[in-house]
Amino acid sequence: MLKTRLLTAAALIPAFLAVLFLLPEPYWSLLMLVGVLIGLSEWAHMAGFKPAVRYLYIAASAVAGVFFTFWQGPENAFMQEYALYWGLPLAAAFWLFLAPLWLWSRARIQNVYLIMLAGWWIVLPLWLALISLRAISPWLLLAIMLVVWIADSAAYFAGKRFGKRKLAVNISPGKTWEGVLGALVVVSLYGLALCFAFQLNLLLIVGFWILTVFSIMGDLLESLIKRQAGFKDSGSLLPGHGGILDRVDGLTSSLPIAAFFLHFPLYYQAWMHSA
């Protein structure tokens, strides 16, 4: 299993780096949209949507994504900018307030419209965050994604070696507090290396801790959905990793949070101006 995971990662990482640094806009946006649509399809499958409903759900998401990418609104601004302006705060609000309540209650959503909305609310902001963070700098996006990937790997190996106390036994029995501690330690070393290499403020490490916590929350929420649906993996597209959602679950929470707080000064100025 581990060998398969490593082989898949070895194939995916160079391809991802190539498109991250070489692919021009709007092709980056469209390629990331394809990935998000696959994730939404996996979400709809886990939610038990009938095939016709599932296809309509994905088609509506695809049309909206293309619309936001290419259509212009008032003042010649692309509609994607309006989606970013409203989408990132809504995503941050979800992960700050609603997701912890969902995990605490372990509520099973039965209403098809609510589960559709939840899928959009969880998955689509990842697309917006990938676009907005890459627009700032591909290196910035990569550095933030590395926080999640490093934390995930460190938690896995630390949990395997030292794990005793379960983190959320009713949601994901394999996760342990020792794994969380291992993730925080290794992420701290990564942050420390960046601070010394680029003369950055050591508060960056605190930011990485926050992103690690949110990445674990995203992982747990997807695990809850899979457990309630009776699925081991969200899909089978990536050998050794499962589906797209299995690979990006930690990113669905951490990237929108990072994007929102990096853009927070702009939001603050807009809110002060409107007041």
Side-chain angles (χ1 to χ4, degrees), residues 41-79:
S41 178
E42 293 173 356
W43 176 274
H45 183 52
M46 290 191 296
F49 291 176
K50 294 179 180 179
V53 176
R54 183 178 175 184
Y55 296 143
L56 286 173
Y57 186 59
I58 303 308
S61 304
V63 170
V66 172
F67 173 77
F68 287 133
T69 300
F70 290 106
W71 268 259
Q72 291 183 332
E75 302 175 357
N76 295 321
F78 281 102
M79 296 303 294

Short mmCIF file of all heavy atoms in Angstrom, two decimals, residues 41-79:
data_model
loop_
_atom_site.label_atom_id
_atom_site.label_comp_id
_atom_site.label_asym_id
_atom_site.label_seq_id
_atom_site.Cartn_x
_atom_site.Cartn_y
_atom_site.Cartn_z
N SER A 41 -18.08 15.13 -7.91
CA SER A 41 -18.70 13.89 -8.35
C SER A 41 -18.55 12.81 -7.28
O SER A 41 -19.49 12.05 -7.00
CB SER A 41 -18.06 13.42 -9.66
OG SER A 41 -18.62 12.20 -10.09
N GLU A 42 -17.37 12.76 -6.65
CA GLU A 42 -17.17 11.81 -5.56
C GLU A 42 -18.08 12.14 -4.37
O GLU A 42 -18.64 11.24 -3.73
CB GLU A 42 -15.70 11.83 -5.13
CG GLU A 42 -14.75 11.30 -6.19
CD GLU A 42 -13.29 11.48 -5.82
OE1 GLU A 42 -13.02 12.11 -4.76
OE2 GLU A 42 -12.42 11.00 -6.56
N TRP A 43 -18.22 13.43 -4.09
CA TRP A 43 -19.11 13.86 -3.01
C TRP A 43 -20.54 13.41 -3.30
O TRP A 43 -21.24 12.88 -2.42
CB TRP A 43 -19.04 15.38 -2.87
CG TRP A 43 -19.97 15.96 -1.85
CD1 TRP A 43 -21.29 16.31 -2.03
CD2 TRP A 43 -19.67 16.21 -0.48
NE1 TRP A 43 -21.82 16.78 -0.87
CE2 TRP A 43 -20.85 16.74 0.11
CE3 TRP A 43 -18.54 16.08 0.30
CZ2 TRP A 43 -20.91 17.12 1.45
CZ3 TRP A 43 -18.59 16.47 1.64
CH2 TRP A 43 -19.77 16.97 2.20
N ALA A 44 -21.01 13.64 -4.53
CA ALA A 44 -22.37 13.26 -4.90
C ALA A 44 -22.56 11.74 -4.82
O ALA A 44 -23.63 11.26 -4.42
CB ALA A 44 -22.67 13.75 -6.32
N HIS A 45 -21.51 10.99 -5.17
CA HIS A 45 -21.60 9.53 -5.08
C HIS A 45 -21.72 9.08 -3.63
O HIS A 45 -22.55 8.23 -3.30
CB HIS A 45 -20.37 8.92 -5.74
CG HIS A 45 -20.39 7.42 -5.78
ND1 HIS A 45 -21.45 6.70 -6.28
CD2 HIS A 45 -19.47 6.50 -5.38
CE1 HIS A 45 -21.20 5.41 -6.20
NE2 HIS A 45 -20.01 5.26 -5.64
N MET A 46 -20.91 9.68 -2.75
CA MET A 46 -20.98 9.33 -1.33
C MET A 46 -22.32 9.73 -0.73
O MET A 46 -22.82 9.07 0.18
CB MET A 46 -19.83 9.98 -0.56
CG MET A 46 -18.47 9.40 -0.86
SD MET A 46 -17.18 9.97 0.27
CE MET A 46 -17.13 11.73 -0.10
N ALA A 47 -22.87 10.84 -1.23
CA ALA A 47 -24.15 11.32 -0.72
C ALA A 47 -25.32 10.48 -1.22
O ALA A 47 -26.45 10.63 -0.74
CB ALA A 47 -24.36 12.78 -1.12
N GLY A 48 -25.06 9.60 -2.19
CA GLY A 48 -26.11 8.72 -2.68
C GLY A 48 -27.04 9.37 -3.68
O GLY A 48 -28.19 8.92 -3.82
N PHE A 49 -26.57 10.40 -4.39
CA PHE A 49 -27.42 11.03 -5.40
C PHE A 49 -27.74 10.03 -6.51
O PHE A 49 -26.89 9.22 -6.90
CB PHE A 49 -26.70 12.23 -6.03
CG PHE A 49 -26.51 13.39 -5.11
CD1 PHE A 49 -25.80 14.51 -5.53
CD2 PHE A 49 -27.02 13.40 -3.82
CE1 PHE A 49 -25.61 15.59 -4.69
CE2 PHE A 49 -26.84 14.48 -2.98
CZ PHE A 49 -26.13 15.57 -3.41
N LYS A 50 -28.94 10.11 -7.02
CA LYS A 50 -29.30 9.33 -8.20
C LYS A 50 -28.47 9.83 -9.39
O LYS A 50 -28.08 11.00 -9.43
CB LYS A 50 -30.79 9.46 -8.49
CG LYS A 50 -31.68 8.85 -7.41
CD LYS A 50 -33.14 9.03 -7.74
CE LYS A 50 -34.02 8.41 -6.65
NZ LYS A 50 -35.47 8.59 -6.93
N PRO A 51 -28.20 8.94 -10.38
CA PRO A 51 -27.33 9.34 -11.49
C PRO A 51 -27.73 10.65 -12.16
O PRO A 51 -26.89 11.49 -12.45
CB PRO A 51 -27.43 8.15 -12.45
CG PRO A 51 -27.69 6.99 -11.55
CD PRO A 51 -28.58 7.51 -10.45
N ALA A 52 -29.03 10.83 -12.42
CA ALA A 52 -29.47 12.05 -13.10
C ALA A 52 -29.18 13.28 -12.25
O ALA A 52 -28.72 14.32 -12.77
CB ALA A 52 -30.97 11.96 -13.41
N VAL A 53 -29.42 13.19 -10.95
CA VAL A 53 -29.16 14.30 -10.04
C VAL A 53 -27.67 14.58 -9.97
O VAL A 53 -27.23 15.73 -9.96
CB VAL A 53 -29.73 14.01 -8.64
CG1 VAL A 53 -29.38 15.12 -7.66
CG2 VAL A 53 -31.24 13.81 -8.70
N ARG A 54 -26.91 13.51 -9.95
CA ARG A 54 -25.44 13.66 -9.88
C ARG A 54 -24.91 14.38 -11.11
O ARG A 54 -24.09 15.29 -11.00
CB ARG A 54 -24.82 12.27 -9.76
CG ARG A 54 -23.31 12.26 -9.61
CD ARG A 54 -22.82 10.82 -9.45
NE ARG A 54 -21.38 10.73 -9.42
CZ ARG A 54 -20.72 9.58 -9.37
NH1 ARG A 54 -21.39 8.43 -9.34
NH2 ARG A 54 -19.41 9.56 -9.35
N TYR A 55 -25.41 14.00 -12.30
CA TYR A 55 -24.94 14.64 -13.53
C TYR A 55 -25.36 16.11 -13.58
O TYR A 55 -24.58 16.97 -14.01
CB TYR A 55 -25.49 13.90 -14.75
CG TYR A 55 -24.98 12.47 -14.86
CD1 TYR A 55 -25.80 11.45 -15.33
CD2 TYR A 55 -23.68 12.15 -14.48
CE1 TYR A 55 -25.33 10.14 -15.42
CE2 TYR A 55 -23.21 10.84 -14.58
CZ TYR A 55 -24.04 9.85 -15.04
OH TYR A 55 -23.58 8.55 -15.12
N LEU A 56 -26.57 16.40 -13.15
CA LEU A 56 -27.01 17.79 -13.12
C LEU A 56 -26.19 18.62 -12.13
O LEU A 56 -25.86 19.78 -12.39
CB LEU A 56 -28.50 17.85 -12.75
CG LEU A 56 -29.49 17.43 -13.84
CD1 LEU A 56 -30.92 17.37 -13.27
CD2 LEU A 56 -29.44 18.40 -15.02
N TYR A 57 -25.86 18.02 -11.01
CA TYR A 57 -25.06 18.69 -9.98
C TYR A 57 -23.68 19.07 -10.54
O TYR A 57 -23.22 20.21 -10.37
CB TYR A 57 -24.92 17.74 -8.80
CG TYR A 57 -24.23 18.28 -7.57
CD1 TYR A 57 -24.73 19.39 -6.91
CD2 TYR A 57 -23.10 17.65 -7.06
CE1 TYR A 57 -24.11 19.87 -5.76
CE2 TYR A 57 -22.49 18.12 -5.91
CZ TYR A 57 -22.99 19.23 -5.26
OH TYR A 57 -22.38 19.69 -4.12
N ILE A 58 -23.05 18.14 -11.23
CA ILE A 58 -21.72 18.39 -11.80
C ILE A 58 -21.82 19.38 -12.96
O ILE A 58 -20.99 20.28 -13.11
CB ILE A 58 -21.06 17.08 -12.27
CG1 ILE A 58 -20.97 16.10 -11.10
CG2 ILE A 58 -19.67 17.35 -12.83
CD1 ILE A 58 -20.33 16.64 -9.86
N ALA A 59 -22.86 19.22 -13.79
CA ALA A 59 -23.03 20.13 -14.93
C ALA A 59 -23.25 21.56 -14.46
O ALA A 59 -22.65 22.51 -15.02
CB ALA A 59 -24.20 19.66 -15.79
N ALA A 60 -24.08 21.75 -13.45
CA ALA A 60 -24.32 23.10 -12.92
C ALA A 60 -23.03 23.69 -12.36
O ALA A 60 -22.74 24.89 -12.55
CB ALA A 60 -25.40 23.04 -11.84
N SER A 61 -22.23 22.87 -11.67
CA SER A 61 -20.96 23.34 -11.12
C SER A 61 -19.99 23.72 -12.23
O SER A 61 -19.28 24.72 -12.13
CB SER A 61 -20.34 22.26 -10.22
OG SER A 61 -21.24 21.86 -9.21
N ALA A 62 -19.97 22.91 -13.30
CA ALA A 62 -19.07 23.19 -14.42
C ALA A 62 -19.45 24.48 -15.12
O ALA A 62 -18.58 25.31 -15.44
CB ALA A 62 -19.10 22.02 -15.42
N VAL A 63 -20.74 24.68 -15.36
CA VAL A 63 -21.20 25.91 -16.01
C VAL A 63 -20.85 27.12 -15.16
O VAL A 63 -20.37 28.15 -15.67
CB VAL A 63 -22.72 25.84 -16.27
CG1 VAL A 63 -23.26 27.20 -16.72
CG2 VAL A 63 -23.03 24.78 -17.32
N ALA A 64 -21.06 27.01 -13.86
CA ALA A 64 -20.73 28.12 -12.96
C ALA A 64 -19.24 28.41 -12.99
O ALA A 64 -18.82 29.58 -13.03
CB ALA A 64 -21.19 27.79 -11.54
N GLY A 65 -18.41 27.35 -12.99
CA GLY A 65 -16.96 27.55 -13.01
C GLY A 65 -16.50 28.23 -14.28
O GLY A 65 -15.67 29.15 -14.24
N VAL A 66 -17.02 27.81 -15.42
CA VAL A 66 -16.65 28.44 -16.70
C VAL A 66 -17.14 29.88 -16.74
O VAL A 66 -16.44 30.79 -17.21
CB VAL A 66 -17.21 27.62 -17.88
CG1 VAL A 66 -17.01 28.36 -19.20
CG2 VAL A 66 -16.56 26.25 -17.92
N PHE A 67 -18.35 30.11 -16.24
CA PHE A 67 -18.90 31.46 -16.19
C PHE A 67 -18.00 32.39 -15.37
O PHE A 67 -17.65 33.49 -15.79
CB PHE A 67 -20.31 31.41 -15.59
CG PHE A 67 -20.91 32.77 -15.32
CD1 PHE A 67 -21.43 33.53 -16.36
CD2 PHE A 67 -20.96 33.28 -14.03
CE1 PHE A 67 -21.98 34.78 -16.13
CE2 PHE A 67 -21.51 34.52 -13.79
CZ PHE A 67 -22.02 35.28 -14.83
N PHE A 68 -17.61 31.93 -14.19
CA PHE A 68 -16.77 32.76 -13.32
C PHE A 68 -15.38 32.98 -13.92
O PHE A 68 -14.74 33.99 -13.66
CB PHE A 68 -16.62 32.11 -11.95
CG PHE A 68 -17.85 32.20 -11.10
CD1 PHE A 68 -18.33 31.08 -10.42
CD2 PHE A 68 -18.55 33.39 -10.98
CE1 PHE A 68 -19.47 31.15 -9.64
CE2 PHE A 68 -19.70 33.47 -10.21
CZ PHE A 68 -20.16 32.35 -9.53
N THR A 69 -14.92 32.05 -14.75
CA THR A 69 -13.59 32.17 -15.33
C THR A 69 -13.55 33.16 -16.49
O THR A 69 -12.59 33.94 -16.62
CB THR A 69 -13.09 30.79 -15.82
OG1 THR A 69 -13.05 29.89 -14.71
CG2 THR A 69 -11.71 30.89 -16.43
N PHE A 70 -14.58 33.17 -17.34
CA PHE A 70 -14.49 33.91 -18.59
C PHE A 70 -15.39 35.14 -18.69
O PHE A 70 -15.10 36.04 -19.47
CB PHE A 70 -14.82 32.96 -19.77
CG PHE A 70 -13.76 31.93 -20.01
CD1 PHE A 70 -13.97 30.61 -19.65
CD2 PHE A 70 -12.55 32.28 -20.57
CE1 PHE A 70 -13.00 29.65 -19.87
CE2 PHE A 70 -11.57 31.32 -20.80
CZ PHE A 70 -11.79 30.00 -20.44
N TRP A 71 -16.49 35.18 -17.93
CA TRP A 71 -17.43 36.29 -18.11
C TRP A 71 -17.02 37.48 -17.28
O TRP A 71 -16.53 37.35 -16.16
CB TRP A 71 -18.85 35.85 -17.75
CG TRP A 71 -19.60 35.35 -18.96
CD1 TRP A 71 -20.52 36.01 -19.69
CD2 TRP A 71 -19.45 34.06 -19.56
NE1 TRP A 71 -20.97 35.22 -20.71
CE2 TRP A 71 -20.33 34.01 -20.67
CE3 TRP A 71 -18.67 32.93 -19.30
CZ2 TRP A 71 -20.43 32.90 -21.49
CZ3 TRP A 71 -18.76 31.83 -20.12
CH2 TRP A 71 -19.64 31.82 -21.20
N GLN A 72 -17.27 38.66 -17.85
CA GLN A 72 -16.94 39.90 -17.16
C GLN A 72 -18.20 40.54 -16.61
O GLN A 72 -19.27 40.47 -17.21
CB GLN A 72 -16.23 40.88 -18.11
CG GLN A 72 -14.84 40.43 -18.50
CD GLN A 72 -14.15 41.45 -19.38
OE1 GLN A 72 -14.80 42.20 -20.10
NE2 GLN A 72 -12.83 41.49 -19.31
N GLY A 73 -18.04 41.19 -15.47
CA GLY A 73 -19.15 41.87 -14.84
C GLY A 73 -18.97 43.38 -14.93
O GLY A 73 -18.29 43.88 -15.83
N PRO A 74 -19.55 44.13 -14.00
CA PRO A 74 -19.40 45.58 -13.99
C PRO A 74 -17.93 45.99 -13.90
O PRO A 74 -17.10 45.28 -13.33
CB PRO A 74 -20.17 45.99 -12.73
CG PRO A 74 -21.11 44.86 -12.46
CD PRO A 74 -20.40 43.63 -12.92
N GLU A 75 -17.61 47.11 -14.49
CA GLU A 75 -16.26 47.68 -14.47
C GLU A 75 -15.22 46.74 -15.08
O GLU A 75 -14.04 46.77 -14.73
CB GLU A 75 -15.86 48.06 -13.03
CG GLU A 75 -16.82 49.05 -12.39
CD GLU A 75 -16.49 49.31 -10.93
OE1 GLU A 75 -15.56 48.67 -10.41
OE2 GLU A 75 -17.15 50.14 -10.31
N ASN A 76 -15.66 45.88 -16.00
CA ASN A 76 -14.79 44.98 -16.74
C ASN A 76 -14.02 44.00 -15.85
O ASN A 76 -12.96 43.48 -16.24
CB ASN A 76 -13.79 45.78 -17.60
CG ASN A 76 -14.49 46.56 -18.69
OD1 ASN A 76 -15.45 46.07 -19.29
ND2 ASN A 76 -14.04 47.78 -18.94
N ALA A 77 -14.52 43.75 -14.66
CA ALA A 77 -13.87 42.77 -13.78
C ALA A 77 -14.46 41.39 -14.07
O ALA A 77 -15.67 41.25 -14.27
CB ALA A 77 -14.10 43.14 -12.32
N PHE A 78 -13.61 40.39 -14.11
CA PHE A 78 -14.11 39.04 -14.33
C PHE A 78 -14.96 38.61 -13.14
O PHE A 78 -14.67 38.96 -11.99
CB PHE A 78 -12.94 38.07 -14.54
CG PHE A 78 -12.36 38.13 -15.92
CD1 PHE A 78 -11.18 38.80 -16.15
CD2 PHE A 78 -13.02 37.53 -16.99
CE1 PHE A 78 -10.65 38.86 -17.43
CE2 PHE A 78 -12.49 37.58 -18.27
CZ PHE A 78 -11.30 38.26 -18.49
N MET A 79 -16.00 37.82 -13.44
CA MET A 79 -16.91 37.38 -12.38
C MET A 79 -16.17 36.54 -11.32
O MET A 79 -16.61 36.46 -10.18
CB MET A 79 -18.05 36.56 -12.98
CG MET A 79 -18.95 37.35 -13.91
SD MET A 79 -19.69 38.82 -13.13
CE MET A 79 -20.74 38.05 -11.91
#
